[in-house]
Amino acid sequence: MIKKLSIQPASGLQGDLSVPGDKSVSHRGLILGAISQGTTILHHFLPAADCLSTLTALQKLGVPIKRVDTTVTISGRGLHGLTQPQQPLDMGNAGTATRLLTGLLAGQPFETTLVGDTSLSQRPMERVRQPLQAMGAQVQLTAGHLPMTITGRTLHGSCTEMQVASAQVKSALILAALQADQASTIIEKLPTRDHTERLLQQFGGQIETAPDQRTITVQPQPALVGRSLTIPGDFSSAAFFVTAATIIPNSHVRLTNVGLNPTRTGFLNILRRMGEPVGTLDVRFAQLHPVQVTATEIPAVIDELPLVALLAATANGISTINGAAELRVKETDRIATIVTELRKLGVQITSQPDGFVIDGRKSWRQPTEPLASHGDHRIGMMMAIAALRLAAPAELESAEAVNISYPTFFEDLARLSQGV
Ligand code: S3P
């Protein structure tokens, strides 16, 4: 396992890259395959730690699943075919898997306990417990966190007005609604990634999103049918290389096979405003202008905000990011970890309760202490990209965090990086 890595500066990034499968879609493909009738085959599945937590949890719920590299075959058990696991399910670091499975297990006729690693055990679960309880679910938390025990019940169709803009909570409610006694309506605070809605339709579910893009109606007790799916490349993984090519002179990278679901690509809109005319994911170095990012666009760029901060740290002025308090409850408090890490490079960045102010005009300096992931995959990858731009090699601690979403990240980076 990688621990501390030395990141060499790069004089440019060059070449083509097909990024690994989408993490959000891989989780959902597994879950929907498990509750469908018949066989589901997932191609270009992401075999990263988070998705493997979901795969193992579903096996322990009695679903036969086989994986060969990036191809997964699921023998679906139907909506009522899961069985009680012998032991608590260990969800590792996977917030998405935890929230989605809570919604699914809330309607199953048995009791399940979910546990997770130190980071996951500090993340808020009340946001999923409370709306599920309104549907009749019984979910018991430990001071608002994992360990969590879900006692399956008959669920009632309901109308839920969501309190947080969260695709994980929305998806938990959709999975619960599939098992309810009548139709359910979910009203989002802001539109969030809609992979669950799209995939559910492909598996034969009846789900509709109103033209306001925020009101979702789910019909209960569908007969879902297994299918074959090719998972697109993860936009969030591609974004690291979009950023690297943009901030390192002499770069030209072509990213192929990237999922471009518009609920995920807010990062491209922001980058466009900063001066890089991205149309296809054909990315070259560019001098960037500062950018102002506000609340309504946060859900479509939530996982790329560390990269927006990094880009802003190279722009010729002051950038602000607001309305992003959700960053405080990710794998780490990302507002705190981004500020700590970018300051090691001499970046002028200050935190706000819900974002940052970043002045990109000051030159960076060589860090006097190692860079660190803080155990957070996206912070580790962001700092590896930042280190490419330094004059000398920099150490990156706990680099193995990349295994959560992108196990081949350092190999791909080495292949595209041209040494100084
Ligand atoms: C995800 C939703 C987002 C995102 C996470 C993946 C999903 O989380 O940050 O990486 O797959 O539904 P929230 O729902 O907590 O915003």
Side-chain angles (χ1 to χ4, degrees), residues 24 28 96 165-168 193 302-303 330 378:
S24 292
R28 288 158 170 81
T96 305
S166 163
Q168 294 178 1
R193 64 188 68 190
I302 185 71
D303 291 340
K330 292 297 176 187
R378 298 199 199 283

Side-chain angles (χ1 to χ4, degrees), residues 162-224:
M162 290 181 57
Q163 302 301 309
V164 276
S166 163
Q168 294 178 1
V169 175
K170 171 179 65 176
S171 302
L173 294 172
I174 293 172
L175 290 168
L178 295 180
Q179 305 167 78
D181 55 5
Q182 51 180 313
S184 296
T185 305
I186 301 160
I187 304 170
E188 289 202 87
K189 215 172 152 189
L190 287 171
T192 62
R193 64 188 68 190
D194 63 359
H195 302 301
T196 306
E197 297 91 308
R198 286 176 191 255
L199 277 180
L200 184 57
Q201 279 181 343
Q202 294 183 40
F203 280 86
Q206 284 183 39
I207 182 163
E208 261 174 43
T209 304
D212 67 1
Q213 295 300 309
R214 292 174 49 222
T215 309
I216 300 152
T217 309
V218 188
Q219 299 300 328
Q221 307 298 335
L224 301 177

Side-chain angles (χ1 to χ4, degrees), residues 236-280:
S236 297
S237 298
F240 292 101
F241 292 97
V242 172
T243 303
T246 304
I247 66 173
I248 308 294
N250 185 36
S251 292
H252 184 188
V253 166
R254 223 170 59 95
L255 297 155
T256 55
N257 176 44
V258 182
L260 294 174
N261 177 321
T263 61
R264 290 286 295 282
T265 54
F267 179 69
L268 295 182
N269 302 335
I270 291 170
L271 193 50
R272 219 176 268 128
R273 294 213 297 278
M274 297 177 87
E276 168 70 352
V278 180
T280 63

